[in-house]
């Protein structure tokens, strides 16, 4: 069968993915004879489509799971999607609007019917797209956070925590989305840089005895909230306001008197040094109000319009009211000045609306007790964060943890299992029937009926289901001792983004200790954010994010996977450039061409074996690289692991090894060399497979006939083997010499077909003599000799500390070469002066690390040797 001259990803990818699926290679079952290796996918929103962050995250997960599978572990990668309460509800509401239907016109049951229909139609898109990437998930285990069993687990956990006193209902400050009309978690709030206005308002001091009214100036960015002011605060040490201690002021326009309070929280140097206190509409003000026992006045409706408590501008939208009050303040002479300043606007991730800090009756989960074991597990490295720099961030969050607002004013999600009695009291139970029994008992009213109970309208925060994910995907709540949870839990590695380290990762750790008394995973690999070349986060709004599926179509899945990993070390942002993916595709082509070269050789079984040194060298070099690859994997340096494989394949195998063993044009190869080369290529394919699964599986099957179980995806991962470090270093020196000779050919325009002589001035002949055959072949040399003196009329060069001469008589323009050498000599002398200056600087030598100083000294020695060699070359010319 003829081999295509070009690798065609489109033909290959679907063929092998379907084949892997048909043979059940992705599926896992508990196997006592094998070590389990488990990853649970960070469930993407059911509303989502594949974006660049998903590409990076899932490529890394697939690399880890494929390697574990080849290591002989029982590898299980559980996929699934998150019901995403706010995002999905917004999508369904928008869809209904297009049909002329308002959510408010529907019952809860009618709306949920539409939502489930939408989910069934669009909810699996992102999982199907992950298959295009090559994700080897156990699709038979796909879960959804609102399927019956998982929702039952959420309700069970709510009831359990409520009965333990960990969940309560109360009025507290929340992030309020006036458009979605729901509370939001901090993670669902997106900060946006903007220019804002600071308004300086005059508050009249009440009855200070002066003939003319006096004022205190307060700066605010939200003049529409002054009707909710309950005090003005100043620092007790601020001399400017000593005369106002114990006084009152009037709210501009409203005229209502409020006290001046003293608190060291107020910064004297910031703004005017006077702070309006509005507890209902600012978190810090709320805490200040609690401390001073001030009243709380909420002037906003759920939709962001002003309510009756505002007294002024009632019914107007908050921003319309702002424009009107500024105009009225100006006309009343109470607006002193307006300044523009750089600010950060907090907006809703889903609706884009500006967030209101707002007091609201919500359900809360206490975090103080649960956070302690979760903090200790990370601090003592029972659970390891990669990179460990995130431990400080984690500790800061966990040591300052606040109670978690777990209720959302939505319909799509798990409805809170709280049931209200006619008198306003409530009971918490897993079902309405259980709630009725409990209500009759607690109220003493045996006549209560189900119709008398009203279930809480709110649903639970999406994170309240996803924090249970590593347990619930294995039905650990439904059946705590089932074979799956006992075998696969705790899972091994979690791959996710740093921005949800607290909102998801920390909470999963809390849940693991709370409900199974053990950690949910051992390692957390934190990816960076995918940004464009200008450093901007990729987004649809900016239009700077390519469609991942278009990239796969153009460059192939392997090219995209490699491109994403080429420069994405853990925890560091990836500056994405399409050239990286192009480089990934070029790597695919390089591998394919190497394979074609090997398959194109004809074998002559009568030929002797002439390539012992070359084959031994690459075997040793592979074993050395494999140790490096394994070390990178052990430290979760996935990008470094790929780059090590890349260098091994591109430089060592393709550019050097194949050139060493390649037979002359249209000449056959000996059988032993070919057999060893195929075996070496198989090893290379194994370490490359986790990163680039499709092309490696294709070449694996093209190399020779395989049976139905001999797939690369389940081939045995290589084992560590010995390697000769000295042998590798000697070959590296030889390759440096060959590279220098090739550079001389290029710079002097000497044809590759023209044979050159090489003279070596070195003490030990053993360094090069065994490699003369390789040197002659790769550098096209004729005579190679060891000499003790410099060679007249030759170009000299230094490689690996030794001196080499190539006679140039009849090969170059002597005058032109003399001029070139003079320029190089001048440059090198200048470089040496700069290095000498640095080494003669006492501050540098005393302050710099020893490794840096040693490097500078090496530069000096190399420059001196080069100057000596250039001067000798000039003399010989």
């Amino acid at each position: 069968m003829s081999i295509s001259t070009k690798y065609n990803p489109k033909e290959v990818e679907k063929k092998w993915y379907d084949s892997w699926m048909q043979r059940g290679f992705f599926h896992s079952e508990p196997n006592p004879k094998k070590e389990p290796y488990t990853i649970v996918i960070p469930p993407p929103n059911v509303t989502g489509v594949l974006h660049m962050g998903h590409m990076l995250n899932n490529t890394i997960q697939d690399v880890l799971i494929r390697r574990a599978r080849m290591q002989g572990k029982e590898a299980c990668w559980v996929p699934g999607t998150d019901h995403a309460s706010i995002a999905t509800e917004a999508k369904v509401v928008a869809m209904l609007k297009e049909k002329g239907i308002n959510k408010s016109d529907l019952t809860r049951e009618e709306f949920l019917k539409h939502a489930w229909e939408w989910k069934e139609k669009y909810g699996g898109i992102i999982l199907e797209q992950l298959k295009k990437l090559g994700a080897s998930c156990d699709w038979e285990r796909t879960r959804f956070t609102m399927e019956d069993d998982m929702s039952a687990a959420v309700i069970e956990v709510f009831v359990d925590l409520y009965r333990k006193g960990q969940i309560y209902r109360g009025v507290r400050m929340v992030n309020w989305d006036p458009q979605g009309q729901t509370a939001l978690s901090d993670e669902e709030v997106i900060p946006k840089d903007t220019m804002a206005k600071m308004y300086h308002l005059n508050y009249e001091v009440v009855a200070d005895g002066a003939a003319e009214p006096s004022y205190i100036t307060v700066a605010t960015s939200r003049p529409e909230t002054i009707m909710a002011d309950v005090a003005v605060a100043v620092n007790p040490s601020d001399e400017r306001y000593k005369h106002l201690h114990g006084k009152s002021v009037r709210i501009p326009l409203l005229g209502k008197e409020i006290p001046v309070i003293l608190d060291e929280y107020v910064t004297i140097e910031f703004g005017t040094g006077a702070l309006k206190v509005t507890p209902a509409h600012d978190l810090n003000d709320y805490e200040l109000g609690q401390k001073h026992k001030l009243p709380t006045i909420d002037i906003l409706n759920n939709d962001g319009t002003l309510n009756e408590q505002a007294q002024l501008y009632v019914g107007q939208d908050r921003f319309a009211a702002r424009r009107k009050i500024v105009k009225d303040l100006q006309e009343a002479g109470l607006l002193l000045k307006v300044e523009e300043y750089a600010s950060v606007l907090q907006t809703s991730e889903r609706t884009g609306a500006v967030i209101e800090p707002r007091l609201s009756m919500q359900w809360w989960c206490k975090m103080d007790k649960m956070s302690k074991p979760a903090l200790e597990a990370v601090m003592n490295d029972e659970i390891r964060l990669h990179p460990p720099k995130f431990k400080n961030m984690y500790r800061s969050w966990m040591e300052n943890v606040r109670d978690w607002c777990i209720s959302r004013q939505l319909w799509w999600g798990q409805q809170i299992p709280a049931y209200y009695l006619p008198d306003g009291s409530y009971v918490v139970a897993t079902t309405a029937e259980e709630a009725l029994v409990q209500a009759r008992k607690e109220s003493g009213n045996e006549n209560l009926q189900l119709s008398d109970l009203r279930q809480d309208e709110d649903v639970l925060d999406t994170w309240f289901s996803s924090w249970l994910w590593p347990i619930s995907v294995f039905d650990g709540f439904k059946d705590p001792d089932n074979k799956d949870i006992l075998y696969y839990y705790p899972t091994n590695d979690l791959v996710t983004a740093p921005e949800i380290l607290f909102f998801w990762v920390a909470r999963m750790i809390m849940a693991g200790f709370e409900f199974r008394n053990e950690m949910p995973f051992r390692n957390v690999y934190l990816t960076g954010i995918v940004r464009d070349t200008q450093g901007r986060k990729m987004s649809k709004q900016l239009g700077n994010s390519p469609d991942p599926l278009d990239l796969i179509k153009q460059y192939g899945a392997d090219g995209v996977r490699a491109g994403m990993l080429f420069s994405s070390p853990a925890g560091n942002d990836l500056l994405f450039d399409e050239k990286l993916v192009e480089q990934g595709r070029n790597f695919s082509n390089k591998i394919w061409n190497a394979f074609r070269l090997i398959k194109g050789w004809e074998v002559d079984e009568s030929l002797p074996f002439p390539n012992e040194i070359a084959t031994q060298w690459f075997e040793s070099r592979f074993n050395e690289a494999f140790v490096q690859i394994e070390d990178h994997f052990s430290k979760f340096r996935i990008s470094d692991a790929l780059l090590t494989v890349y260098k091994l394949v591109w430089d060592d195998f393709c550019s050097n090894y194949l050139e060493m063993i390649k037979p002359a044009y249209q000449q056959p190869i000996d059988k032993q060399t070919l057999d060893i080369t195929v075996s070496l290529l198989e090893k290379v394919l194994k370490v490359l497979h986790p990163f680039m699964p499709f092309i490696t599986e294709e070449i694996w099957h093209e190399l020779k006939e395989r049976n139905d179980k001999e797939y690369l995806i389940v081939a045995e991962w290589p084992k560590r083997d010995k390697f000769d470090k000295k042998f590798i270093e000697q070959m590296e020196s030889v390759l440096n010499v060959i590279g220098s000779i090739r550079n001389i050919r290029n710079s002097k325009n000497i044809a590759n077909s023209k044979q050159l002589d090489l003279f070596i001035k070195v003490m030990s002949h053993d360094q090069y003599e065994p490699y003369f055959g390789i040197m002659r072949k790769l550098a096209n040399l004729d005579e190679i000799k060891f000499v003790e003196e410099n060679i007249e009329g030759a170009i000299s060069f230094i490689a690996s500390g030794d001196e080499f001469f190539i006679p140039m008589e009849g090969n170059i323009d002597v005058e032109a070469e003399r001029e070139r050498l003079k320029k190089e000599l001048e440059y090198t002398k200048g470089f040496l002066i700069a290095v000498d200056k640095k080494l003669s600087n006492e501050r540098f030598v005393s302050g710099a690390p020893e490794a840096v100083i040693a490097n500078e000294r090496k530069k000096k020695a190399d420059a001196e040797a080069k100057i000596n060699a250039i001067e000798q070359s000039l003399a010989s010319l």
Side-chain angles (χ1 to χ4, degrees):
M1 186 176 71
S2 64
I3 300 169
S4 172
T5 55
K6 282 190 73 176
Y7 173 62
N8 189 338
K10 288 180 184 175
E11 291 178 1
V12 167
E13 288 169 4
K14 186 175 189 313
K15 173 180 74 176
W16 290 119
Y17 200 88
D18 289 348
S19 189
W20 293 328
M21 288 279 286
Q22 287 162 10
R23 283 161 181 77
F25 290 135
F26 301 166
H27 183 58
S28 174
E29 289 291 338
N31 185 343
K33 295 179 181 178
K34 284 185 174 185
E35 176 189 344
Y37 178 82
T38 318
I39 292 178
V40 293
I41 201 170
N45 285 355
V46 75
T47 60
V49 293
L50 202 61
H51 59 59
M52 299 303 286
H54 291 135
M55 294 279 279
L56 175 62
N57 186 294
N58 287 282
T59 294
I60 292 168
Q61 289 177 83
D62 196 47
V63 168
L64 294 173
I65 207 79
R66 284 179 182 272
R67 173 173 172 265
R69 192 180 287 122
M70 294 175 76
Q71 287 176 315
K73 297 175 183 177
E74 189 59 43
C76 180
W77 181 10
V78 182
T81 50
D82 188 282
H83 63 275
S85 294
I86 296 172
T88 305
E89 186 143 328
K91 292 266 187 186
V92 176
V93 167
M95 176 199 72
L96 291 172
K97 270 191 176 177
E98 288 178 5
K99 297 178 178 179
I101 304 170
N102 291 319
K103 176 188 170 184
S104 57
D105 297 331
L106 300 174
T107 64
R108 188 186 197 106
E109 290 69 27
E110 289 168 340
F111 178 82
L112 289 176
K113 184 182 176 186
H114 286 291
W116 278 106
E117 287 172 356
W118 186 94
K119 183 264 174 189
E120 292 306 316
K121 186 173 181 180
Y122 299 107
I125 290 175
I126 192 165
L127 298 183
E128 289 303 310
Q129 291 174 330
L130 284 176
K131 294 176 182 178
K132 302 280 187 189
L133 184 66
S136 56
C137 301
D138 186 346
W139 299 110
E140 294 175 45
R141 291 183 176 273
T142 303
R143 305 303 299 260
F144 174 54
T145 54
M146 251 179 74
E147 64 185 67
D148 290 346
D149 286 347
M150 300 193 87
S151 286
V154 170
I155 300 305
E156 178 187 327
V157 164
F158 183 97
V159 174
D160 176 66
L161 290 175
Y162 176 79
R163 289 175 180 166
K164 289 175 179 174
Q166 293 291 95
I167 284 178
Y168 64 95
R169 190 167 180 259
V171 175
R172 294 188 60 178
M173 188 69 72
V174 298
N175 300 307
W176 185 261
D177 178 349
Q179 189 172 324
Q181 296 193 32
T182 181
L184 302 179
S185 70
D186 289 344
E187 198 278 333
E188 293 158 329
V189 177
I190 305 298
K192 291 186 178 177
D193 293 331
T194 187
M195 291 304 295
K197 291 180 178 178
M198 184 66 73
Y199 302 89
H200 292 250
L201 313 181
N202 278 337
Y203 285 57
E204 184 185 348
V205 179
V206 177
D208 64 351
E212 295 290 327
S214 61
Y215 299 91
I216 181 172
T217 303
V218 174
T220 178
S221 61
R222 304 183 64 203
E224 72 278 9
T225 64
I226 65 172
M227 288 83 75
D229 288 354
V230 295
V232 168
V234 296
N235 192 299
S237 303
D238 194 335
E239 292 294 332
R240 294 171 296 176
Y241 302 125
K242 291 278 187 183
H243 67 290
L244 294 181
H245 293 190
K247 300 280 187 178
S248 297
V249 295
R250 297 187 200 280
I251 297 174
L253 300 181
L254 198 60
K256 179 181 175 181
E257 290 187 23
I258 54 175
V260 175
I261 64 170
L262 310 179
D263 200 288
E264 290 180 351
Y265 166 77
V266 183
T267 306
I268 295 174
E269 297 79 17
F270 183 75
T272 66
L275 178 76
K276 68 191 279 301
V277 183
T278 318
H281 300 286
D282 182 273
L283 179 58
N284 295 321
D285 288 9
Y286 174 70
E287 292 178 353
L288 205 56
Q290 292 290 99
K291 178 180 176 182
H292 290 271
K293 296 182 172 54
L294 297 170
T296 299
I297 304 169
D298 184 354
I299 63 167
L300 288 177
N301 294 313
N302 287 351
D303 62 358
T305 57
L306 273 64
N307 62 27
E308 296 292 338
Q309 291 202 75
Q311 300 182 51
L312 305 175
Y313 317 108
V314 175
Q316 293 187 28
D317 175 76
R318 54 190 168 149
F319 297 121
R322 179 181 300 176
R323 291 190 293 271
K324 184 71 170 65
I325 197 171
V326 167
K327 183 182 175 187
D328 291 347
L329 286 165
Q330 199 165 18
E331 289 177 354
L334 297 172
L335 179 62
L336 190 65
K337 63 177 178 178
V338 181
E339 294 176 327
E340 282 211 346
Y341 70 104
S343 178
V344 177
L345 204 61
Q346 305 297 332
T347 64
S348 167
E349 181 184 26
R350 297 303 169 191
T351 66
V354 177
I355 292 301
E356 278 292 339
R358 187 172 183 225
L359 285 174
S360 180
M361 175 65 79
Q362 301 287 343
W363 288 91
W364 304 84
C365 182
K366 294 178 183 177
M367 294 276 96
D368 51 354
K369 287 182 183 175
M370 284 192 284
S371 65
K372 285 183 174 60
L375 174 59
E376 288 171 12
V378 172
M379 289 301 105
N380 64 22
D381 287 332
E382 186 182 358
I383 296 172
R384 292 181 179 271
L385 303 185
H386 304 274
K389 68 179 183 180
F390 286 105
K391 284 175 72 172
N392 287 336
M393 181 192 296
Y394 182 88
R395 180 172 58 193
S396 175
W397 277 337
M398 297 296 275
E399 287 178 345
N400 297 283
V401 68
R402 295 174 182 269
D403 288 356
W404 174 13
C405 177
I406 57 174
S407 48
R408 297 290 179 268
Q409 289 63 58
L410 302 165
W411 282 349
W412 176 249
Q414 286 95 3
Q415 193 171 352
I416 288 174
Y419 298 83
Y420 296 91
L421 282 64
D423 64 0
S425 63
Y426 61 86
V427 293
V428 170
T430 53
T431 65
E433 289 73 21
E434 285 181 23
L436 181 60
V437 172
Q438 193 175 328
R440 285 174 175 171
K441 182 179 178 181
E442 291 187 12
S443 67
N445 182 359
E446 289 297 322
N447 296 321
L448 281 175
Q449 301 299 316
L450 277 176
S451 58
D452 296 322
L453 300 183
R454 177 182 59 84
Q455 187 173 356
D456 196 302
E457 288 288 315
D458 291 352
V459 299
L460 285 156
D461 177 15
T462 298
W463 297 107
F464 199 81
S465 56
S466 57
W467 79 319
L468 310 176
W469 186 250
I471 304 173
S472 58
V473 293
F474 297 116
D475 289 325
F477 292 98
K478 178 184 177 183
D479 182 359
D481 295 315
N482 77 77
K483 61 176 181 149
D484 281 359
I485 192 76
L486 294 178
Y487 183 73
Y488 293 114
Y489 188 94
T491 67
N492 294 74
D493 304 323
L494 178 77
V495 181
T496 190
E499 58 261 35
I500 55 174
L501 179 57
F502 176 70
F503 302 105
W504 188 46
V505 178
R507 287 172 180 165
M508 283 191 289
I509 298 172
M510 292 182 209
F513 284 111
E514 180 71 22
F515 301 113
R516 290 203 68 84
N517 202 31
E518 59 182 329
M519 59 190 179
F521 30 71
R522 296 180 178 87
N523 295 287
V524 181
Y525 179 105
L526 296 156
T527 66
I529 296 170
V530 183
R531 300 184 180 275
D532 64 16
T533 50
Q534 298 177 45
R536 301 175 302 174
K537 186 175 180 179
M538 287 189 163
S539 68
K540 291 178 182 176
Q541 289 82 358
L542 288 175
N544 63 344
S545 180
D547 184 328
L549 296 181
D550 288 344
L551 289 176
I552 290 173
K553 282 179 190 173
Q554 186 174 355
Y555 298 104
D558 289 325
V560 174
R561 289 165 65 109
M564 294 293 290
L565 292 177
F566 275 140
S567 61
S568 55
N572 291 335
D573 291 351
L574 164 63
L575 294 181
F576 179 79
D577 188 330
E578 201 162 317
K579 288 177 183 175
L580 292 169
V581 179
E582 191 176 336
Q583 184 183 352
R585 181 196 58 195
N586 294 344
F587 188 32
S588 293
N589 292 338
K590 184 78 170 179
I591 300 160
W592 186 254
N593 289 335
F595 155 67
R596 286 182 60 242
L597 176 68
I598 294 166
K599 285 295 283 185
W601 290 334
E602 289 191 14
V603 181
D604 185 341
E605 298 195 15
S606 67
L607 289 175
F609 174 47
N611 293 307
E612 185 173 1
I613 288 179
T615 55
Q616 286 179 352
W617 165 73
F618 187 77
E619 181 83 43
S620 206
R621 176 68 193 102
F622 176 89
N623 291 336
E624 179 189 46
F626 184 72
V627 169
Q628 295 166 352
I629 292 163
E630 290 289 82
D631 183 58
H632 289 319
F633 269 117
S634 72
K635 294 167 181 169
F636 286 83
R637 297 197 296 245
I638 311 300
S639 179
D640 291 340
L642 172 59
L643 290 171
T644 303
V645 177
Y646 179 86
K647 184 180 183 303
L648 177 72
V649 175
W650 192 293
D651 295 341
D652 298 320
F653 188 75
C654 297
S655 299
N656 293 323
Y657 174 73
L658 291 182
E659 288 299 313
M660 291 177 194
I661 64 160
K662 184 170 66 175
Y665 179 63
Q666 290 189 336
Q667 295 298 309
I669 194 168
D670 66 285
K671 187 176 188 306
Q672 190 171 352
T673 297
L674 183 60
D675 289 346
I676 292 173
T677 300
V678 168
S679 173
L680 291 172
L681 178 55
E682 286 179 332
K683 282 188 171 185
V684 166
L685 292 174
K686 286 179 180 180
V687 294
L688 185 56
H689 176 78
F691 304 99
M692 305 176 78
F694 293 109
I695 189 170
T696 51
E697 190 76 78
E698 174 75 1
I699 293 173
W700 179 263
H701 287 270
E702 290 281 358
L703 267 178
K704 60 187 181 187
E705 288 293 322
R706 314 272 183 186
N707 67 40
D708 210 40
K709 294 182 180 177
E710 290 179 322
Y711 273 66
L712 181 55
I713 189 175
V714 288
E716 185 179 1
W717 188 249
K719 298 281 193 297
R720 290 180 186 240
D721 207 344
K722 62 177 186 274
F723 60 90
D724 186 334
K725 185 70 176 174
K726 185 179 179 183
F727 179 25
I728 293 168
E729 288 172 352
Q730 285 181 334
M731 183 63 83
E732 189 175 337
S733 297
V734 168
L735 292 171
N736 283 339
V737 172
I738 292 166
S740 297
I741 296 169
R742 288 172 172 174
N743 289 337
I744 288 170
R745 283 186 184 275
N746 291 335
S747 64
K748 305 295 179 290
N749 292 317
I750 301 170
N752 290 330
S753 59
K754 185 175 179 62
Q755 283 194 319
L756 300 174
D757 295 332
L758 179 69
F759 298 99
I760 308 172
K761 186 181 175 184
V762 65
M763 294 296 290
S764 172
H765 294 189
D766 293 344
Q767 172 72 23
Y768 297 103
E769 197 163 24
Y771 309 100
F772 276 7
I774 288 172
M775 293 168 74
R776 284 194 175 96
K777 187 173 184 179
L778 269 60
N780 193 14
L781 301 175
D782 182 16
E783 187 177 14
I784 304 178
K785 279 187 179 179
F786 292 104
V787 295
E788 296 180 1
E789 303 294 334
N790 296 342
I791 305 299
E792 295 293 326
I795 284 184
S796 69
F797 63 90
I798 302 290
S800 301
D802 298 319
E803 193 167 3
F804 300 81
F805 301 89
I806 300 176
M808 286 288 111
E809 188 176 349
N811 291 325
I812 62 166
D813 181 331
V814 175
E815 281 304 316
E817 178 60 14
R818 187 179 285 115
E819 285 304 310
R820 187 191 70 80
L821 286 172
K822 283 180 179 178
K823 287 180 182 177
E824 190 172 357
L825 180 63
E826 183 181 354
Y827 170 82
T828 308
K829 284 181 174 179
F831 177 79
L832 180 60
I833 290 169
V835 174
D836 276 335
K837 277 184 181 177
K838 192 177 281 190
L839 288 171
S840 63
N841 185 328
E842 287 184 14
R843 288 182 64 187
F844 170 75
V845 174
S846 62
E850 185 55 42
V852 173
I853 296 169
N855 189 44
E856 291 301 318
R857 286 176 179 149
K858 184 178 183 304
K859 286 181 186 177
K860 177 177 179 175
D862 289 347
E864 288 171 341
K866 190 173 181 181
I867 288 168
N868 185 45
I870 294 171
E871 287 175 340
Q872 289 181 13
S873 293
L874 280 167
S876 70
L877 289 172

